[in-house]
Amino acid sequence: MVPDARGHVSKQGLFRGRLLWFEREPDGATDEDAYHYIEDGGIAVADGRIAWSGPWSALPDEYGGVDYIDHRPYLFMPGFVDCHIHFPQGQVVASYAGSLLEWLNTYTFVEEQKYADPDHAGRMADRFLDMLLAHGTTTAVAYGSVHKGSVDALLCAALRRNMRMVAGKVMMDRNAPEALTDTPKTGYDDTKALIAAWHGKGRVEVAVTPRFALTSTEAQMEMAGALAREHPECLVQTHLSENHVEIETVAKLFPWSKDYTDVYDHYGLLGPKTLFGHCIHQNAREMARMAESRSVAVFCPTSNLFLGSGLFSLDKMRTTEPPVRHAIATDIGGGTSWSMLRTLDEGYKVLNLQGQRYHPLRSFYQATLGNAEAIGMNDKIGKLEAGYEADFIVLDSASNPAMALRSETIATLPEELFLLQTLGDDRAVVATIVSGITAHSRGKL
Ligand code: GUN
Ligand code: FE
């Protein structure tokens, strides 16, 4: 057994505290069948998986007398899943730009050039994973830079930590600085090489990653479609319908297209494995194609507010027939917080501005099991159930003075969750457990 952050060694990893995990998306505020909540619970871990979870009073005999990590009165939850984040943008966050294309050209395309240097990419990979864990995120779907080496660095670091991580080398062959472009052939060859080297190794995977239609030629889009066809085991990730100028530019670059979604559709890039970041301004035809193809729309609230991109509508997803699958994500560095708690809070406000409600049972479902479903991993992560991978977090809903003050009047679980999402941040994350090992601790254990 490997020691945890305190150098604590136990025969089996055993944890005690309050437990919460979801079984399915809650229908509403009173849908108690959608989740499991255990006031005094235990989680036993063996070989990186949950071996047992349940009420402490029902702890199996084999764990009797086993040393355990006591996190009472804190709340265990499955680790957060971030469905859209940019690895090379940790030092782009908080760059003063009005909107998407100015932000990309002025800051992002400059910063991402640094990732040509494998030493820089390697150093940043560990910083990136440290940041995720400090914020309670145990799985992310990440964009690398255009450089294959950026993805080698990130996935190597994730593999060392036994983290479940997906990443892809961005493909761009136009409308970007020379130093940040590949070609249809090198984009294809590098992605193939990444898949061969990493996909399915430990807990890491590779995603086919054309950055967005604006920075790819028709030839490159064809190659991206070929990669997606040849590798049905891989997720595909890209950006779609984020900004009005972006949408107009894509319409000019692909004059035959019915709309932006049609561009990706034409190249065979819609489907249940595709994550489309943003999806703010799509029309009814586009929504119907998203729904039919079972593509996933990824809500990036802090980014959409920061870049003034627009208001993502959950009702639009839900009222399409069948409903459009969706996820929620930070979109660091267009996004302004690494914290899924801050992201849920901003998501709540974006929806409230449109008269839509985001109940905390639903938002915490989304950040855990819901996002795991969006990336097809809900049989592996997102629950605190025997057989699931042992990635979980410990949350403190009185972790800053404002939360402590307010928590005195909290009476129910939904109220506590809403407090966590409205006032919580990385300080609320007491510990992050990856593959059964405490990989981050707030230092207050
Ligand atoms: N569209 C294309 N690239 C990007 C990016 O890096 N961030 C965001 N938010 N949108 C994009
Ligand atoms: Fe993005």
Side-chain angles (χ1 to χ4, degrees):
M1 202 74 205
V2 188
D4 68 28
R6 290 150 79 205
H8 195 122
V9 184
S10 49
K11 202 159 115 269
Q12 308 256 16
L14 184 61
F15 301 83
R16 183 171 183 178
R18 292 186 294 135
L19 311 186
L20 172 68
W21 77 95
F22 293 89
E23 199 52 50
R24 58 168 169 78
E25 176 163 14
D27 274 338
T30 55
D31 186 6
E32 292 183 0
D33 294 341
Y35 62 90
H36 304 270
Y37 175 65
I38 303 175
E39 189 70 43
D40 182 11
I43 305 173
V45 174
D47 299 326
R49 286 178 189 273
I50 296 175
W52 172 85
S53 70
W56 193 260
S57 60
L59 189 69
D61 287 346
E62 62 190 282
Y63 301 108
V66 170
D67 216 357
Y68 62 87
I69 299 178
D70 192 351
H71 279 301
R72 287 175 297 169
Y74 302 138
L75 181 65
F76 282 85
M77 223 183 272
F80 294 134
V81 179
D82 188 344
C83 286
H84 182 128
I85 184 166
H86 295 260
F87 162 48
Q89 294 180 14
Q91 294 183 322
V92 177
V93 182
S95 293
Y96 183 74
S99 58
L100 174 67
L101 300 182
E102 177 196 341
W103 175 84
L104 279 173
N105 289 317
T106 315
Y107 306 103
T108 310
F109 286 167
V110 177
E111 180 65 21
E112 290 192 7
Q113 295 184 36
K114 295 182 188 165
Y115 288 72
D117 173 7
D119 290 338
H120 179 74
R123 276 192 307 276
M124 284 299 160
D126 277 315
R127 305 277 299 273
F128 179 80
L129 298 178
D130 285 345
M131 286 295 278
L132 292 180
L133 295 175
H135 289 82
T137 298
T138 50
T139 289
V141 186
Y143 289 68
S145 64
V146 75
H147 317 98
K148 173 181 171 293
S150 70
V151 174
D152 286 322
L154 181 60
L155 293 182
C156 180
L159 187 66
R160 270 202 313 269
R161 296 173 188 230
N162 213 1
M163 279 179 81
R164 185 161 279 288
M165 185 67 41
V166 186
K169 174 212 112 66
V170 144
M171 293 185 264
M172 296 201 269
D173 69 343
R174 64 169 152 177
N175 296 323
E178 181 85 34
L180 272 195
T181 52
D182 54 7
T183 69
K185 175 158 170 40
T186 61
Y188 177 89
D189 290 347
D190 284 350
T191 302
K192 281 277 202 199
L194 285 169
I195 294 168
W198 296 107
H199 192 87
K201 202 168 181 177
R203 303 174 72 203
V204 307
E205 294 195 2
V206 174
V208 175
T209 311
R211 186 178 200 124
F212 64 156
L214 195 147
T215 48
S216 286
T217 60
E218 304 217 12
Q220 182 158 73
M221 295 296 285
E222 294 272 6
M223 292 302 232
L227 282 165
R229 262 194 317 281
E230 291 161 20
H231 294 282
E233 72 280 18
C234 291
L235 288 167
V236 176
Q237 58 180 346
T238 189
H239 296 83
L240 170 58
S241 200
E242 176 176 5
N243 167 288
H244 290 298
V245 181
E246 170 208 17
I247 296 166
E248 285 160 23
T249 310
V250 168
K252 286 189 193 121
L253 293 174
F254 300 89
W256 46 261
S257 61
K258 296 189 188 85
D259 44 52
Y260 197 163
T261 306
D262 190 44
V263 175
Y264 295 122
D265 207 357
H266 178 84
Y267 296 106
L269 290 166
L270 266 58
K273 299 284 278 187
T274 306
L275 304 173
F276 288 111
H278 306 289
C279 297
I280 300 171
H281 307 290
Q282 287 162 297
N283 62 34
R285 195 208 75 82
E286 294 180 276
M287 294 309 290
R289 281 300 297 141
M290 292 287 290
E292 275 163 15
S293 62
R294 304 197 62 247
S295 301
V296 177
V298 186
F299 182 17
C300 304
T302 73
S303 169
N304 297 343
L305 292 172
F306 180 72
L307 294 173
S309 303
L311 304 179
F312 179 96
S313 169
L314 211 49
D315 278 0
K316 198 161 108 175
M317 306 297 147
R318 291 184 194 286
T319 56
T320 302
E321 228 359 276
V324 174
R325 293 171 68 220
H326 54 89
I328 191 161
T330 63
D331 193 26
I332 287 286
T336 53
S337 176
W338 295 76
S339 168
M340 290 301 287
L341 297 172
R342 306 294 340 110
T343 302
L344 298 181
D345 178 44
E346 297 295 302
Y348 176 88
K349 294 171 188 169
V350 164
L351 297 171
N352 205 8
L353 270 171
Q354 303 169 90
Q356 301 173 28
R357 302 300 295 272
Y358 202 32
H359 193 275
L361 288 177
R362 193 163 260 163
S363 63
F364 278 86
Y365 157 80
Q366 191 62 58
T368 56
L369 185 63
N371 274 2
E373 190 280 330
I375 59 174
M377 295 185 185
N378 50 320
D379 57 340
K380 298 181 179 69
I381 54 170
K383 291 188 188 183
L384 300 181
E385 201 170 278
Y388 272 71
E389 295 173 357
D391 290 351
F392 42 85
I393 55 178
V394 184
L395 296 175
D396 172 5
S397 49
S399 58
N400 64 48
M403 292 176 87
L405 177 67
R406 178 66 172 91
S407 66
E408 290 176 14
T409 61
I410 293 290
T412 67
L413 177 70
E415 284 176 4
E416 181 183 359
L417 294 177
F418 198 58
L419 171 60
L420 271 166
Q421 92 170 37
T422 307
L423 298 184
D425 52 33
D426 53 310
R427 291 169 289 179
V429 181
V430 174
T432 305
I433 290 93
V434 174
S435 294
I437 305 297
T438 301
H440 166 81
S441 112
R442 198 180 57 177
K444 212 177 119 179
L445 287 174

CSV table of all heavy atoms in Angstrom, one decimal, residues 22 26 344 348 358-366 413-419 421:
chain,number,residue,atom,x,y,z
A,22,PHE,N,-24.4,10.4,-7.1
A,22,PHE,CA,-25.6,10.4,-7.8
A,22,PHE,C,-25.7,9.1,-8.6
A,22,PHE,O,-24.7,8.5,-9.0
A,22,PHE,CB,-25.7,11.6,-8.8
A,22,PHE,CG,-25.8,12.9,-8.1
A,22,PHE,CD1,-24.7,13.6,-7.7
A,22,PHE,CD2,-27.1,13.4,-7.7
A,22,PHE,CE1,-24.8,14.8,-7.0
A,22,PHE,CE2,-27.2,14.6,-7.0
A,22,PHE,CZ,-26.0,15.3,-6.6
A,26,PRO,N,-31.0,14.2,-11.3
A,26,PRO,CA,-32.2,14.4,-10.5
A,26,PRO,C,-33.3,15.2,-11.3
A,26,PRO,O,-32.9,16.1,-12.1
A,26,PRO,CB,-31.7,15.3,-9.4
A,26,PRO,CG,-30.2,15.1,-9.3
A,26,PRO,CD,-29.8,14.8,-10.8
A,344,LEU,N,-19.9,26.1,-11.5
A,344,LEU,CA,-21.4,25.9,-11.3
A,344,LEU,C,-22.1,27.1,-10.9
A,344,LEU,O,-23.2,27.4,-11.3
A,344,LEU,CB,-21.6,24.8,-10.2
A,344,LEU,CG,-21.0,23.4,-10.5
A,344,LEU,CD1,-21.3,22.4,-9.3
A,344,LEU,CD2,-21.5,22.8,-11.8
A,348,TYR,N,-25.0,28.9,-12.9
A,348,TYR,CA,-26.3,29.2,-12.2
A,348,TYR,C,-26.8,30.6,-12.6
A,348,TYR,O,-27.9,30.9,-13.0
A,348,TYR,CB,-26.2,29.1,-10.7
A,348,TYR,CG,-27.5,29.5,-10.0
A,348,TYR,CD1,-28.5,28.6,-9.7
A,348,TYR,CD2,-27.6,30.8,-9.6
A,348,TYR,CE1,-29.6,29.0,-9.1
A,348,TYR,CE2,-28.8,31.2,-8.9
A,348,TYR,CZ,-29.8,30.3,-8.7
A,348,TYR,OH,-30.9,30.7,-8.0
A,358,TYR,N,-31.2,26.2,-12.1
A,358,TYR,CA,-30.1,25.2,-12.0
A,358,TYR,C,-30.1,24.7,-10.6
A,358,TYR,O,-29.3,25.2,-9.8
A,358,TYR,CB,-28.8,25.8,-12.5
A,358,TYR,CG,-27.8,24.8,-13.0
A,358,TYR,CD1,-28.2,23.6,-13.7
A,358,TYR,CD2,-26.5,25.0,-12.9
A,358,TYR,CE1,-27.3,22.7,-14.2
A,358,TYR,CE2,-25.5,24.2,-13.4
A,358,TYR,CZ,-25.9,23.0,-14.1
A,358,TYR,OH,-25.0,22.2,-14.6
A,359,HIS,N,-30.9,23.7,-10.3
A,359,HIS,CA,-30.9,23.2,-8.9
A,359,HIS,C,-29.6,22.6,-8.5
A,359,HIS,O,-29.0,21.9,-9.4
A,359,HIS,CB,-32.1,22.2,-8.8
A,359,HIS,CG,-32.4,21.9,-7.3
A,359,HIS,ND1,-31.6,20.9,-6.6
A,359,HIS,CD2,-33.2,22.4,-6.5
A,359,HIS,CE1,-32.1,20.9,-5.4
A,359,HIS,NE2,-33.0,21.8,-5.3
A,360,PRO,N,-29.1,22.8,-7.3
A,360,PRO,CA,-27.8,22.3,-6.9
A,360,PRO,C,-27.7,20.7,-7.0
A,360,PRO,O,-26.6,20.2,-7.2
A,360,PRO,CB,-27.6,22.7,-5.5
A,360,PRO,CG,-28.9,23.2,-5.0
A,360,PRO,CD,-29.7,23.6,-6.2
A,361,LEU,N,-28.8,20.0,-6.9
A,361,LEU,CA,-28.7,18.6,-7.1
A,361,LEU,C,-28.3,18.3,-8.5
A,361,LEU,O,-27.5,17.4,-8.8
A,361,LEU,CB,-30.0,17.9,-6.8
A,361,LEU,CG,-30.4,17.8,-5.3
A,361,LEU,CD1,-31.8,17.2,-5.2
A,361,LEU,CD2,-29.4,17.0,-4.5
A,362,ARG,N,-28.9,19.1,-9.4
A,362,ARG,CA,-28.6,18.9,-10.8
A,362,ARG,C,-27.2,19.3,-11.2
A,362,ARG,O,-26.5,18.7,-11.9
A,362,ARG,CB,-29.6,19.7,-11.6
A,362,ARG,CG,-29.7,19.4,-13.1
A,362,ARG,CD,-30.9,19.9,-13.7
A,362,ARG,NE,-31.9,18.9,-13.9
A,362,ARG,CZ,-33.2,19.1,-14.1
A,362,ARG,NH1,-33.7,20.3,-14.2
A,362,ARG,NH2,-34.1,18.1,-14.3
A,363,SER,N,-26.8,20.4,-10.6
A,363,SER,CA,-25.4,20.9,-10.9
A,363,SER,C,-24.3,20.0,-10.4
A,363,SER,O,-23.3,19.7,-11.1
A,363,SER,CB,-25.2,22.4,-10.5
A,363,SER,OG,-25.3,22.4,-9.0
A,364,PHE,N,-24.5,19.5,-9.2
A,364,PHE,CA,-23.4,18.6,-8.7
A,364,PHE,C,-23.5,17.2,-9.4
A,364,PHE,O,-22.5,16.6,-9.6
A,364,PHE,CB,-23.6,18.4,-7.2
A,364,PHE,CG,-22.9,19.6,-6.4
A,364,PHE,CD1,-23.6,20.8,-6.2
A,364,PHE,CD2,-21.5,19.5,-6.1
A,364,PHE,CE1,-22.9,21.8,-5.5
A,364,PHE,CE2,-20.9,20.5,-5.4
A,364,PHE,CZ,-21.6,21.7,-5.2
A,365,TYR,N,-24.7,16.8,-9.8
A,365,TYR,CA,-24.8,15.6,-10.7
A,365,TYR,C,-24.0,15.9,-11.9
A,365,TYR,O,-23.1,15.0,-12.3
A,365,TYR,CB,-26.2,15.3,-11.0
A,365,TYR,CG,-26.4,14.5,-12.3
A,365,TYR,CD1,-26.2,13.1,-12.3
A,365,TYR,CD2,-26.6,15.1,-13.5
A,365,TYR,CE1,-26.2,12.4,-13.5
A,365,TYR,CE2,-26.6,14.4,-14.7
A,365,TYR,CZ,-26.4,13.0,-14.7
A,365,TYR,OH,-26.4,12.3,-15.8
A,366,GLN,N,-24.2,17.1,-12.5
A,366,GLN,CA,-23.5,17.4,-13.8
A,366,GLN,C,-22.0,17.3,-13.6
A,366,GLN,O,-21.3,16.8,-14.5
A,366,GLN,CB,-23.9,18.7,-14.3
A,366,GLN,CG,-23.5,19.0,-15.7
A,366,GLN,CD,-24.1,18.0,-16.7
A,366,GLN,OE1,-25.3,17.8,-16.8
A,366,GLN,NE2,-23.3,17.2,-17.4
A,413,LEU,N,-29.3,19.0,2.8
A,413,LEU,CA,-28.3,18.7,1.8
A,413,LEU,C,-28.3,19.7,0.6
A,413,LEU,O,-27.2,20.3,0.3
A,413,LEU,CB,-28.3,17.3,1.4
A,413,LEU,CG,-27.3,16.9,0.4
A,413,LEU,CD1,-25.9,16.9,1.0
A,413,LEU,CD2,-27.6,15.5,-0.3
A,414,PRO,N,-29.4,19.9,0.0
A,414,PRO,CA,-29.4,20.8,-1.2
A,414,PRO,C,-29.0,22.2,-0.8
A,414,PRO,O,-28.3,22.9,-1.5
A,414,PRO,CB,-30.9,20.8,-1.6
A,414,PRO,CG,-31.4,19.5,-1.2
A,414,PRO,CD,-30.7,19.2,0.1
A,415,GLU,N,-29.3,22.7,0.5
A,415,GLU,CA,-28.9,24.0,0.9
A,415,GLU,C,-27.3,24.0,1.1
A,415,GLU,O,-26.7,25.0,0.7
A,415,GLU,CB,-29.5,24.3,2.3
A,415,GLU,CG,-30.9,24.8,2.2
A,415,GLU,CD,-31.6,25.0,3.5
A,415,GLU,OE1,-30.9,25.0,4.6
A,415,GLU,OE2,-32.8,25.3,3.6
A,416,GLU,N,-26.8,22.9,1.6
A,416,GLU,CA,-25.4,22.8,1.7
A,416,GLU,C,-24.7,22.8,0.4
A,416,GLU,O,-23.6,23.5,0.2
A,416,GLU,CB,-25.0,21.6,2.5
A,416,GLU,CG,-23.5,21.5,2.8
A,416,GLU,CD,-23.0,20.2,3.5
A,416,GLU,OE1,-23.9,19.4,3.9
A,416,GLU,OE2,-21.8,20.1,3.7
A,417,LEU,N,-25.2,22.1,-0.6
A,417,LEU,CA,-24.6,22.0,-1.9
A,417,LEU,C,-24.7,23.4,-2.6
A,417,LEU,O,-23.7,23.9,-3.2
A,417,LEU,CB,-25.4,21.0,-2.8
A,417,LEU,CG,-25.2,19.6,-2.4
A,417,LEU,CD1,-26.1,18.7,-3.3
A,417,LEU,CD2,-23.8,19.1,-2.4
A,418,PHE,N,-25.8,24.1,-2.4
A,418,PHE,CA,-25.9,25.4,-3.0
A,418,PHE,C,-24.9,26.4,-2.4
A,418,PHE,O,-24.4,27.3,-3.1
A,418,PHE,CB,-27.4,25.9,-2.9
A,418,PHE,CG,-27.6,27.0,-3.8
A,418,PHE,CD1,-27.5,26.9,-5.2
A,418,PHE,CD2,-28.1,28.3,-3.4
A,418,PHE,CE1,-27.7,27.9,-6.1
A,418,PHE,CE2,-28.3,29.3,-4.3
A,418,PHE,CZ,-28.1,29.1,-5.6
A,419,LEU,N,-24.7,26.3,-1.1
A,419,LEU,CA,-23.7,27.1,-0.4
A,419,LEU,C,-22.3,26.8,-1.0
A,419,LEU,O,-21.5,27.7,-1.3
A,419,LEU,CB,-23.7,26.8,1.1
A,419,LEU,CG,-22.6,27.4,2.0
A,419,LEU,CD1,-22.6,28.9,1.8
A,419,LEU,CD2,-22.8,27.0,3.4
A,421,GLN,N,-21.5,25.6,-3.9
A,421,GLN,CA,-21.3,26.2,-5.3
A,421,GLN,C,-21.3,27.7,-5.3
A,421,GLN,O,-20.7,28.3,-6.2
A,421,GLN,CB,-22.3,25.5,-6.2
A,421,GLN,CG,-23.6,26.3,-6.5
A,421,GLN,CD,-24.4,25.7,-7.6
A,421,GLN,OE1,-24.5,24.5,-7.8
A,421,GLN,NE2,-25.1,26.5,-8.4
